[in-house]
Amino acid sequence: MRNFILSRLGAMVLILIALTAVLFVLQHISPMDPVKAQLGANASAEAVAARRHTLGLDQPMINQFWNYLTGAVHGDLGTSYRTRHAVSSDLGDFVPATLELALYGMGLALILAGLLAFGTTLKWPGAGVLRAVLFTGAAAPMFLLGILGLIVFYQKLGWVPANGRIGVPNPPKGPTGLLTVDGLLAGRLDVVTDALHHLILPAIVIALGPAVAIGRVLRSSLLTDAGSDYARTARAKGLSEGRIMVGHVLRNSVGGALSMTGLQVGLMFSGVLVVEQVFGWPGIGQYIAQSIPVADFPAIAGVTLMLGVLYVAINTAVDLLQAAADPRIAVGGG
């Protein structure tokens, strides 16, 4: 098990170094000169040369990459051409909103996936309706689903807010940046309920696709393992189907669902960036949308690197969880 953990952690580090190298190369072949972007097109040659020396851009390429890599490790992602602030500082302002939306979206996706898998496997009443609704919603593009949701639930029914993250004045500013958590810590139930009111529709929109993908994989595994020898033995002992599924079948079936969950997390974050535009959500989707038209490469690279780190870390965690659920994976090395 120890060798399995070390190999997965080593692979994670190598992937992140490779991603950083790709971003470094892209930055150097970009037509945008970072010095002139900071100083302006009319800066003197002396000022440009001095700034290049300060930034280390007059050093050999290998030294520049090492500085870029070590800077990224320490959280230095450069300075945004657009905001003139450190990219890490900008991300600190925008990431909590995206993280909160993604967490609630993934939590809702896991709940819906479990209901879909167990409901259709155990033939619960209403499981067919839930399956039809989830499959229909997952088949639609996220932006279209978001627009339809706003038309129906905001414009027609008035059940949800149109956009934004909070409508309550003076919400707490910390310590986590997650309004639902900070509202609880501050004893502001008005903030918690209003934040959840704003979260519900965008969270549902981003949850439908992952819920179907994870639920289908889990259902397939449950059906396969439900016919195994140990499941038949449990039935012979008089256990109910529900107890057999939860107590015996689930652990052996969860590996494929965990793999799909890791994949869907990465896809979900790409979907979140789109959904944020539809709902006017003040997260990194807004930040990257404002940075792309002005070729703000440090901001674009910072968001890309952050999402890459998050995606690789989550998939590594999923691999370790799979090994914990099924030790044969660690023994077999894969």
Side-chain angles (χ1 to χ4, degrees):
M1 186 66 175
R2 185 184 66 179
N3 291 337
F4 179 81
I5 294 174
L6 291 176
S7 67
R8 288 299 185 266
L9 294 178
M12 180 181 71
V13 172
L14 291 176
I15 291 172
L16 293 179
I17 291 175
L19 175 60
T20 306
V22 170
L23 292 174
F24 174 79
V25 171
L26 290 176
Q27 183 168 354
H28 275 265
I29 65 176
S30 170
M32 178 68 73
D33 186 339
V35 175
K36 291 185 177 180
Q38 293 181 20
L39 300 180
N42 298 323
S44 66
E46 292 78 9
V48 170
R51 188 59 178 167
R52 290 184 67 84
H53 178 73
T54 301
L55 296 175
L57 298 178
D58 55 352
Q59 297 181 13
M61 192 69 70
I62 187 65
N63 291 354
Q64 292 185 47
F65 174 66
W66 177 253
N67 293 336
Y68 185 78
L69 180 62
T70 54
V73 170
H74 290 90
D76 181 6
L77 301 174
T79 301
S80 168
Y81 301 157
R82 180 176 58 86
T83 67
R84 308 294 180 181
H85 299 151
V87 172
S88 56
S89 175
D90 286 343
L91 291 179
D93 294 332
F94 287 96
V95 164
T98 297
L99 183 60
E100 187 167 39
L101 177 56
L103 286 174
Y104 277 88
M106 181 51 70
L108 184 58
L110 292 175
I111 293 172
L112 292 174
L115 291 175
L116 174 63
F118 282 97
T120 53
T121 301
L122 298 175
K123 296 180 173 58
W124 291 344
V129 176
L130 175 64
R131 184 174 184 272
V133 171
L134 290 179
F135 274 72
T136 301
M142 281 190 182
F143 73 90
L144 179 59
L145 200 60
I147 293 171
L148 290 176
L150 286 174
I151 292 174
V152 174
F153 296 105
Y154 165 70
Q155 188 175 21
K156 298 296 184 182
L157 300 176
W159 290 357
V160 297
N163 53 49
R165 190 183 178 199
I166 191 75
V168 174
N170 303 317
K173 301 297 183 182
T176 67
L178 309 181
L179 290 177
T180 52
V181 176
D182 294 340
L184 283 175
L185 294 176
R188 294 280 305 275
L189 294 182
D190 58 330
V191 172
V192 176
T193 55
D194 191 69
L196 289 173
H197 196 202
H198 283 77
L199 272 166
I200 185 168
L201 186 56
I204 290 174
V205 169
I206 64 174
L208 291 180
V212 170
I214 298 168
R216 290 177 69 177
V217 172
L218 180 58
R219 178 178 182 271
S220 177
S221 299
L222 289 174
L223 288 173
T224 299
D225 287 336
S228 62
D229 292 339
Y230 63 84
R232 286 194 292 269
T233 301
R235 289 190 191 94
K237 293 179 179 179
L239 297 180
S240 66
E241 284 296 319
R243 290 186 62 185
I244 293 171
M245 287 293 172
V246 175
H248 298 271
V249 174
L250 180 59
R251 178 170 181 176
N252 293 310
S253 304
V254 78
L258 283 174
S259 293
M260 181 57 69
T261 300
L263 176 62
Q264 290 300 316
V265 166
L267 297 176
M268 173 176 281
F269 272 102
S270 65
V272 165
L273 303 186
V274 175
V275 170
E276 286 184 355
Q277 299 302 300
V278 176
F279 290 94
W281 196 265
I284 57 175
Q286 295 280 7
Y287 182 62
I288 198 73
Q290 295 167 358
S291 300
I292 290 175
V294 296
D296 187 356
F297 193 88
I300 298 169
V303 171
T304 303
L305 185 59
M306 184 200 69
L307 292 178
V309 170
L310 190 61
Y311 181 72
V312 173
I314 289 173
N315 277 274
T316 301
V318 166
D319 286 344
L320 299 180
L321 287 174
Q322 283 184 293
D326 186 355
R328 293 173 299 178
I329 294 176
V331 174

